[in-house]
Amino acid sequence: MIGVPLNLLLAIPCSYPIMWSLLAFQVIAGELGWAELDPTVVDDGAGLVITLGLLFLLFTGLVVFGLNALFAFRAPKLKAVAYWLTVPLLILIPALFRVAAR
């Protein structure tokens, strides 16, 4: 049961890397012609946005995986597949609501 509050609390600091990674994915989609691109983002340096977004996402993923691994391996009756499928949902949904509310 500790995984649910842990991941809901992790959604608060994870909203910033998710915001940066969404901006990076928007720039990539704009460069590929799949979405409309904001010209100010490209003028400010799309390479920096993509690099920061992907680095923040990688670092956040490693921290979230490490913290959840501490609790997942200590609970022998925990179903690993169900737990690891709910981890991204418990982090992404509140973080996306927080990003959308800005």
Side-chain angles (χ1 to χ4, degrees):
M1 288 303 283
I2 192 77
V4 174
L6 169 75
N7 289 311
L8 288 175
L9 286 174
L10 281 174
I12 295 169
C14 286
S15 64
Y16 295 106
I18 289 172
M19 180 182 60
W20 277 100
S21 62
L22 287 175
L23 185 60
F25 292 140
Q26 180 185 7
V27 169
I28 292 171
E31 293 291 329
L32 294 173
W34 297 342
E36 190 172 324
L37 189 58
D38 187 13
T40 58
V41 173
V42 177
D43 293 340
D44 291 341
L48 178 67
V49 172
I50 293 171
T51 304
L52 284 177
L54 297 178
L55 284 177
F56 283 159
L57 187 65
L58 177 69
F59 178 73
T60 304
L62 290 174
V63 169
V64 167
F65 175 76
L67 288 175
N68 280 299
L70 290 174
F71 295 107
F73 295 127
R74 291 185 185 191
K77 294 185 180 185
L78 183 68
K79 294 182 181 177
V81 174
Y83 182 77
W84 288 108
L85 287 176
T86 57
V87 165
L89 293 176
L90 289 171
I91 292 174
L92 285 175
I93 292 174
L96 288 176
F97 278 123
R98 185 171 180 200
V99 168
R102 290 180 162 230

